[in-house]
Amino acid sequence: MLTGSPLRLTRTAWLQILAEAWRVYPEEACGVLIGPSGSGEVLRFEPITNADASTRVFTLDGREFARVALRADREDLDVIGVVHSHTHTPAAPSPTDESEARKPLVPPSWYWAIASVGWGEPELRAHRVDPESAGMVETPVVLTH
Ligand SMILES: [Zn+2]
């Protein structure tokens, strides 16, 4: 069941995410979503190097993340979500994603957008931590213009 505020993004951002996932395939791609603080409105996708260079896990490169977050802050925007790709599984959170999303330094409001490529039809789905169950729930992805 899809619940909660949708993640809204342009077709351009959607294509950029899938393109980045294909670019680094078979490794997992990652990046962040930039938008107004507390919103689900994506103004842009910023790809970030996967510091793990792995086909199974990802870690946002810390230096690149800091640069991207600082730039957003200067524009009065915020990192509103994290993006990564799955290359062996559907675009649903893995047990690793579920535990990463609950780490103390990860904002609980973040959207977790997962692009699945190389496995079935390419797709992008979004999820958030549900404060009540503490599990992750899928939220709708709405494409704007
Ligand atoms: Zn994952």
Side-chain angles (χ1 to χ4, degrees), residues 20 29-32 45-51 59-62 64-66 68:
E20 175 68 3
C30 56
V32 294
F45 163 64
E46 296 269 12
I48 290 179
T49 301
N50 179 357
T59 300
L60 296 167
D61 178 89
E64 288 179 33
F65 176 82
V68 161

mmCIF file of all heavy atoms in Angstrom, residues 20 29-32 45-51 59-62 64-66 68:
data_model
loop_
_atom_site.group_PDB
_atom_site.id
_atom_site.type_symbol
_atom_site.label_atom_id
_atom_site.label_comp_id
_atom_site.label_asym_id
_atom_site.label_seq_id
_atom_site.Cartn_x
_atom_site.Cartn_y
_atom_site.Cartn_z
ATOM 1 N N GLU A 20 22.021 7.573 -14.356
ATOM 2 C CA GLU A 20 23.162 7.391 -13.444
ATOM 3 C C GLU A 20 23.255 5.923 -13.003
ATOM 4 O O GLU A 20 24.345 5.358 -12.906
ATOM 5 C CB GLU A 20 23.014 8.329 -12.235
ATOM 6 C CG GLU A 20 24.067 8.166 -11.149
ATOM 7 C CD GLU A 20 25.466 8.603 -11.566
ATOM 8 O OE1 GLU A 20 25.634 9.092 -12.702
ATOM 9 O OE2 GLU A 20 26.401 8.430 -10.763
ATOM 10 N N ALA A 29 24.596 2.718 -7.929
ATOM 11 C CA ALA A 29 24.722 4.172 -8.019
ATOM 12 C C ALA A 29 24.108 4.786 -6.771
ATOM 13 O O ALA A 29 23.277 4.156 -6.114
ATOM 14 C CB ALA A 29 23.973 4.680 -9.247
ATOM 15 N N CYS A 30 24.526 6.016 -6.452
ATOM 16 C CA CYS A 30 23.865 6.710 -5.353
ATOM 17 C C CYS A 30 23.930 8.213 -5.553
ATOM 18 O O CYS A 30 24.631 8.710 -6.434
ATOM 19 C CB CYS A 30 24.423 6.290 -3.993
ATOM 20 S SG CYS A 30 26.192 6.500 -3.777
ATOM 21 N N GLY A 31 23.175 8.918 -4.751
ATOM 22 C CA GLY A 31 23.109 10.369 -4.844
ATOM 23 C C GLY A 31 22.056 10.873 -3.886
ATOM 24 O O GLY A 31 21.541 10.112 -3.064
ATOM 25 N N VAL A 32 21.764 12.171 -4.004
ATOM 26 C CA VAL A 32 20.769 12.747 -3.106
ATOM 27 C C VAL A 32 19.769 13.588 -3.882
ATOM 28 O O VAL A 32 20.008 14.000 -5.017
ATOM 29 C CB VAL A 32 21.417 13.598 -1.979
ATOM 30 C CG1 VAL A 32 22.234 12.731 -1.038
ATOM 31 C CG2 VAL A 32 22.263 14.722 -2.565
ATOM 32 N N PHE A 45 18.414 16.256 -8.773
ATOM 33 C CA PHE A 45 19.119 15.050 -8.318
ATOM 34 C C PHE A 45 20.606 15.329 -8.431
ATOM 35 O O PHE A 45 21.065 15.845 -9.452
ATOM 36 C CB PHE A 45 18.723 13.865 -9.198
ATOM 37 C CG PHE A 45 19.659 12.687 -9.096
ATOM 38 C CD1 PHE A 45 19.795 11.998 -7.899
ATOM 39 C CD2 PHE A 45 20.400 12.275 -10.195
ATOM 40 C CE1 PHE A 45 20.666 10.906 -7.800
ATOM 41 C CE2 PHE A 45 21.264 11.179 -10.111
ATOM 42 C CZ PHE A 45 21.398 10.495 -8.907
ATOM 43 N N GLU A 46 21.338 15.017 -7.387
ATOM 44 C CA GLU A 46 22.792 15.176 -7.417
ATOM 45 C C GLU A 46 23.427 13.796 -7.272
ATOM 46 O O GLU A 46 23.353 13.186 -6.197
ATOM 47 C CB GLU A 46 23.264 16.058 -6.243
ATOM 48 C CG GLU A 46 22.763 17.475 -6.279
ATOM 49 C CD GLU A 46 23.710 18.420 -7.017
ATOM 50 O OE1 GLU A 46 24.639 17.933 -7.695
ATOM 51 O OE2 GLU A 46 23.496 19.643 -6.909
ATOM 52 N N PRO A 47 24.045 13.294 -8.341
ATOM 53 C CA PRO A 47 24.744 12.012 -8.201
ATOM 54 C C PRO A 47 25.965 12.169 -7.299
ATOM 55 O O PRO A 47 26.599 13.222 -7.296
ATOM 56 C CB PRO A 47 25.171 11.673 -9.638
ATOM 57 C CG PRO A 47 25.055 12.927 -10.414
ATOM 58 C CD PRO A 47 24.135 13.855 -9.679
ATOM 59 N N ILE A 48 26.253 11.148 -6.532
ATOM 60 C CA ILE A 48 27.415 11.149 -5.629
ATOM 61 C C ILE A 48 28.112 9.807 -5.800
ATOM 62 O O ILE A 48 27.457 8.768 -5.963
ATOM 63 C CB ILE A 48 26.957 11.371 -4.163
ATOM 64 C CG1 ILE A 48 26.472 12.820 -3.996
ATOM 65 C CG2 ILE A 48 28.068 11.042 -3.169
ATOM 66 C CD1 ILE A 48 25.963 13.156 -2.606
ATOM 67 N N THR A 49 29.423 9.833 -5.767
ATOM 68 C CA THR A 49 30.192 8.599 -5.913
ATOM 69 C C THR A 49 29.846 7.603 -4.807
ATOM 70 O O THR A 49 29.733 7.985 -3.640
ATOM 71 C CB THR A 49 31.704 8.921 -5.861
ATOM 72 O OG1 THR A 49 31.999 9.839 -6.910
ATOM 73 C CG2 THR A 49 32.552 7.671 -5.999
ATOM 74 N N ASN A 50 29.680 6.344 -5.200
ATOM 75 C CA ASN A 50 29.498 5.274 -4.225
ATOM 76 C C ASN A 50 30.877 4.904 -3.683
ATOM 77 O O ASN A 50 31.674 4.262 -4.371
ATOM 78 C CB ASN A 50 28.840 4.061 -4.892
ATOM 79 C CG ASN A 50 28.651 2.905 -3.922
ATOM 80 O OD1 ASN A 50 29.045 2.968 -2.760
ATOM 81 N ND2 ASN A 50 28.035 1.841 -4.424
ATOM 82 N N ALA A 51 31.157 5.327 -2.443
ATOM 83 C CA ALA A 51 32.485 5.111 -1.851
ATOM 84 C C ALA A 51 32.790 3.623 -1.702
ATOM 85 O O ALA A 51 33.957 3.238 -1.599
ATOM 86 C CB ALA A 51 32.577 5.813 -0.502
ATOM 87 N N THR A 59 27.754 3.600 -0.064
ATOM 88 C CA THR A 59 28.015 4.635 0.931
ATOM 89 C C THR A 59 28.250 5.918 0.165
ATOM 90 O O THR A 59 29.083 5.952 -0.754
ATOM 91 C CB THR A 59 29.277 4.302 1.771
ATOM 92 O OG1 THR A 59 29.071 3.061 2.443
ATOM 93 C CG2 THR A 59 29.549 5.398 2.795
ATOM 94 N N LEU A 60 27.505 6.965 0.495
ATOM 95 C CA LEU A 60 27.701 8.258 -0.152
ATOM 96 C C LEU A 60 29.097 8.763 0.176
ATOM 97 O O LEU A 60 29.482 8.803 1.346
ATOM 98 C CB LEU A 60 26.666 9.267 0.370
ATOM 99 C CG LEU A 60 25.191 8.971 0.071
ATOM 100 C CD1 LEU A 60 24.302 9.874 0.924
ATOM 101 C CD2 LEU A 60 24.888 9.148 -1.406
ATOM 102 N N ASP A 61 29.858 9.140 -0.837
ATOM 103 C CA ASP A 61 31.173 9.726 -0.594
ATOM 104 C C ASP A 61 31.004 10.962 0.299
ATOM 105 O O ASP A 61 30.257 11.883 -0.050
ATOM 106 C CB ASP A 61 31.807 10.113 -1.925
ATOM 107 C CG ASP A 61 33.164 10.767 -1.739
ATOM 108 O OD1 ASP A 61 34.170 10.044 -1.699
ATOM 109 O OD2 ASP A 61 33.203 12.011 -1.599
ATOM 110 N N GLY A 62 31.684 10.976 1.442
ATOM 111 C CA GLY A 62 31.467 12.016 2.445
ATOM 112 C C GLY A 62 31.824 13.416 1.968
ATOM 113 O O GLY A 62 31.115 14.380 2.251
ATOM 114 N N GLU A 64 31.927 14.548 -1.184
ATOM 115 C CA GLU A 64 30.959 15.006 -2.195
ATOM 116 C C GLU A 64 29.629 15.359 -1.539
ATOM 117 O O GLU A 64 28.991 16.350 -1.898
ATOM 118 C CB GLU A 64 30.734 13.921 -3.261
ATOM 119 C CG GLU A 64 31.913 13.746 -4.191
ATOM 120 C CD GLU A 64 31.661 12.656 -5.223
ATOM 121 O OE1 GLU A 64 30.506 12.460 -5.650
ATOM 122 O OE2 GLU A 64 32.638 11.977 -5.593
ATOM 123 N N PHE A 65 29.232 14.542 -0.571
ATOM 124 C CA PHE A 65 27.971 14.826 0.118
ATOM 125 C C PHE A 65 28.041 16.193 0.798
ATOM 126 O O PHE A 65 27.109 16.997 0.703
ATOM 127 C CB PHE A 65 27.647 13.743 1.146
ATOM 128 C CG PHE A 65 26.406 14.046 1.939
ATOM 129 C CD1 PHE A 65 25.150 13.759 1.428
ATOM 130 C CD2 PHE A 65 26.496 14.661 3.181
ATOM 131 C CE1 PHE A 65 23.996 14.076 2.132
ATOM 132 C CE2 PHE A 65 25.344 14.985 3.897
ATOM 133 C CZ PHE A 65 24.102 14.684 3.376
ATOM 134 N N ALA A 66 29.155 16.466 1.474
ATOM 135 C CA ALA A 66 29.304 17.737 2.190
ATOM 136 C C ALA A 66 29.213 18.908 1.217
ATOM 137 O O ALA A 66 28.558 19.914 1.496
ATOM 138 C CB ALA A 66 30.627 17.756 2.941
ATOM 139 N N VAL A 68 27.697 19.022 -1.762
ATOM 140 C CA VAL A 68 26.332 19.118 -2.297
ATOM 141 C C VAL A 68 25.371 19.686 -1.233
ATOM 142 O O VAL A 68 24.527 20.534 -1.530
ATOM 143 C CB VAL A 68 25.885 17.711 -2.772
ATOM 144 C CG1 VAL A 68 24.388 17.608 -2.911
ATOM 145 C CG2 VAL A 68 26.596 17.353 -4.072
#
